[in-house]
């Protein structure tokens, strides 16, 4: 009977890990387009790290097992599965269907040496923090931010580190719930975020003048804008903006970044309201939710890619940060394309290009 159960469990693991051709998260019947984790799930599906079940199901609320985590980490990290050193887990013999993957993650120091691995057991949120910190060698603050996490909590430091890397947010009541088992959706989200961590410089380079084509939504006219660095006002870089064809002067652009947050907006006669504002480091998925308070509320900002590509001004840019901004107050969708060390290279409004970098020249 025990042997039959082992076979059944192995088959269940295999079903959710074997690639299903042509599947994307949006096509899963149980993952809605409005799901806050759809970007991360889609990323892992497209990379072949996790897959769905038959009948277009993902089963996002099913608990993930330790064996499934071992397989996904092996794929995500490209771990060597040949000539692995036996982990000595009593419940993972060489005949186990995922012996190589489980042994690979143990060899890599991601899972502890122990008598048993417990391949069909669930993984808690606290253990997830330990696993991801080890797998990606993450560094960051080791101070506790959660009401239910103290120095006595298993994974205390690792929980703090993954929080400071913007991989987890915690719950609305300020708790982390370290002993709560992880679902497939949540582990997919945390793994995808760890895989796509990025801390780019999104400011324009003050050593250059920037030339953009601009389509104005207010007057339906096209402009060729020159951005010239003026000064720093003790907070933001101030850029003067002039149309090269008519010499029309636009409002100054203000850009701010201190390595922890980024903000951009235009100088107005009233207090500055950042049109775009978010924290670092970046990773794919929702980084600003419409229910969050703060400088901009009612806004959802989603990082769609940290390694994207885009064509702008006849130049193909790689490793592009792609952000999508939506609002509960309108149907508008703004898409921003940033390049590390260059800044904004393209901006779309409901699929209409409104800014496109044409040229940069040393000033």
């Amino acid at each position: 009977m025990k042997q039959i159960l082992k076979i059944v469990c192995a088959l269940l693991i295999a079903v959710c890990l074997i690639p299903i051709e042509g599947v994307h998260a949006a096509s899963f019947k149980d993952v809605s387009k409005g799901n806050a984790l759809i970007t991360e799930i889609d990323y892992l599906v497209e990379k072949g790290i996790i897959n769905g079940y038959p009948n277009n199901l993902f089963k996002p609320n099913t608990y993930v097992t330790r064996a499934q985590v071992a397989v996904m980490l092996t794929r995500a990290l490209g771990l060597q599965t040949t000539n692995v050193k036996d982990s000595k887990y009593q419940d993972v013999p060489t005949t186990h269907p995922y012996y190589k993957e489980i042994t690979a993650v143990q060899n890599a120091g991601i899972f502890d040496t122990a008598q048993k691995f417990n391949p069909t057991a669930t993984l808690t949120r606290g253990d997830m923090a330990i696993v991801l910190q080890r797998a990606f060698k993450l560094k960051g603050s080791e101070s506790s931010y959660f009401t239910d996490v103290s120095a006595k909590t298993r994974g205390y430091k690792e929980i703090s580190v993954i929080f400071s890397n913007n991989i987890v947010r915690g719950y609305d009541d300020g708790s982390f719930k370290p002993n709560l088992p992880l679902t497939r959706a949540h582990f997919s989200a945390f793994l995808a975020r760890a895989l796509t961590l990025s801390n780019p410089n999104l400011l324009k380079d003050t050593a250059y003048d920037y030339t953009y084509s601009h389509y104005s939504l207010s007057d339906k006219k096209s402009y060729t804008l020159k951005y010239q660095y003026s000064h720093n006002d003790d907070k933001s870089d101030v850029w003067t903006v002039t149309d090269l064809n008519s010499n029309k002067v636009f409002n100054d652009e203000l850009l701010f970044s201190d390595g922890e947050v980024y903000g951009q907006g235009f100088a107005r006669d009233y207090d500055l309201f950042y049109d775009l504002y978010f924290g670092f480091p970046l990773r794919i998925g929702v980084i600003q939710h419409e229910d969050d308070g703060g400088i901009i509320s009612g806004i959802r900002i989603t990082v769609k890619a940290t390694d994207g590509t885009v064509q702008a001004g006849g130049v193909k840019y790689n490793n592009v940060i792609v952000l999508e901004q939506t609002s509960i107050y309108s149907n508008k969708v703004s898409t921003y394309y940033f390049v590390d060390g260059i800044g904004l290279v393209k901006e779309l409004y409901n699929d209409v290009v409104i800014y496109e970098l044409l040229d940069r020249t040393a000033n």
Side-chain angles (χ1 to χ4, degrees):
M1 184 64 181
K2 290 183 178 179
Q3 186 63 28
I4 293 175
L5 288 175
K6 288 181 180 180
I7 294 172
V8 170
C9 290
L11 288 173
L12 288 174
I13 292 173
V15 166
C16 71
L17 293 173
I18 294 173
I20 299 177
E21 186 175 354
V23 172
H24 297 278
S27 69
F28 292 129
K29 291 188 292 187
D30 52 356
V31 181
S32 68
K33 292 183 179 179
N35 190 307
L37 305 180
I38 193 170
T39 302
E40 294 98 317
I41 294 172
D42 208 25
Y43 177 85
L44 292 192
V45 170
E46 289 182 354
K47 295 292 186 182
I49 295 170
I50 192 171
N51 300 282
Y53 291 84
N55 301 319
N56 289 331
L57 295 176
F58 183 75
K59 299 187 179 181
N61 297 320
T62 299
Y63 291 139
V64 70
T65 69
R66 290 166 60 85
Q68 291 170 351
V69 169
V71 174
M72 284 187 276
L73 285 173
T74 298
R75 292 176 176 175
L77 299 172
L79 297 180
Q80 179 62 254
T81 57
T82 58
N83 299 320
V84 290
K85 183 180 179 181
D86 189 10
S87 62
K88 306 296 184 182
Y89 291 132
Q90 294 175 2
D91 54 356
V92 186
T94 56
T95 54
H96 191 283
Y98 298 106
Y99 166 80
K100 290 183 178 180
E101 289 86 353
I102 292 171
T103 304
V105 293
Q106 190 270 347
N107 288 180
I110 298 171
F111 281 91
D112 292 329
T113 299
Q115 288 186 336
K116 293 185 178 182
F117 181 75
N118 300 313
T120 60
T122 58
L123 191 77
T124 66
R125 288 168 57 85
D127 285 338
M128 171 274 300
I130 295 171
V131 164
L132 291 184
Q133 189 279 325
R134 291 176 179 175
F136 295 94
K137 297 178 174 57
L138 300 174
K139 297 180 179 180
S141 172
E142 295 184 357
S143 300
S144 177
Y145 300 91
F146 300 106
T147 57
D148 57 350
V149 176
S150 70
K152 296 181 180 180
T153 304
R154 172 174 162 77
Y156 163 75
K157 291 182 179 180
E158 291 85 352
I159 292 169
S160 301
V161 167
I162 65 168
F163 174 78
S164 66
N165 278 279
N166 203 18
I167 293 174
V168 298
R169 292 165 60 95
Y171 290 86
D172 291 339
D173 62 0
S175 66
F176 179 75
K177 304 187 189 307
N179 298 319
L180 192 69
L182 272 177
T183 62
R184 281 166 51 83
H186 281 121
F187 184 75
S188 297
F190 299 144
L191 177 56
R193 293 169 189 172
L195 277 166
T196 58
L197 275 180
S198 177
N199 199 12
N201 174 18
L202 304 184
L203 294 173
K204 288 182 172 65
D205 188 336
T206 59
Y208 289 84
D209 294 337
Y210 287 65
T211 303
Y212 288 88
S213 63
H214 170 52
Y215 177 73
S216 172
L217 296 169
S218 59
D219 61 17
K220 311 300 181 185
K221 293 182 179 179
S222 296
Y223 297 89
T224 302
L225 302 182
K226 185 172 185 178
Y227 285 65
Q228 294 177 293
Y229 175 69
S230 175
H231 64 284
N232 186 283
D233 63 3
D234 294 327
K235 180 179 181 181
S236 303
D237 288 344
V238 180
W239 292 76
T240 59
V241 185
T242 308
D243 177 48
L244 292 178
N245 298 320
S246 65
N247 289 324
K248 177 181 178 179
V249 178
F250 285 67
N251 290 336
D252 289 343
E253 180 184 57
L254 305 181
L255 301 179
F256 169 77
S257 181
D258 61 359
E260 295 184 359
V261 295
Y262 172 85
Q264 70 176 45
F266 288 96
R268 301 176 175 93
D269 293 334
Y270 48 91
D271 290 340
L272 171 67
F273 179 84
Y274 285 113
D275 300 299
L276 191 63
Y277 187 87
F278 51 83
F280 293 113
L282 295 179
R283 43 68 174 176
I284 65 168
V286 176
I287 58 172
Q288 170 75 37
H289 193 274
E290 56 265 23
D291 294 335
D292 294 342
I295 295 177
I296 298 180
S297 59
I299 297 293
R300 176 180 287 198
I301 299 177
T302 304
V303 179
K304 306 298 288 186
T306 59
D307 58 353
T309 59
V310 72
Q311 192 86 13
V315 178
K316 181 180 179 181
Y317 294 95
N318 298 312
N319 299 317
V320 178
I321 306 292
V322 184
L323 295 101
E324 182 180 273
Q325 179 176 270
T326 57
S327 171
I328 61 174
Y329 306 112
S330 70
N331 293 323
K332 84 167 188 174
V333 179
S334 294
T335 308
Y336 303 86
Y337 299 86
F338 288 91
V339 176
D340 184 14
I342 295 178
L344 183 72
V345 298
K346 200 168 192 176
E347 181 181 341
L348 277 62
Y349 179 94
N350 289 347
D351 297 325
V352 176
V353 179
I354 60 172
Y355 285 98
E356 183 170 4
L357 181 62
L358 301 178
D359 192 23
R360 290 196 316 152
T361 56
N363 53 33

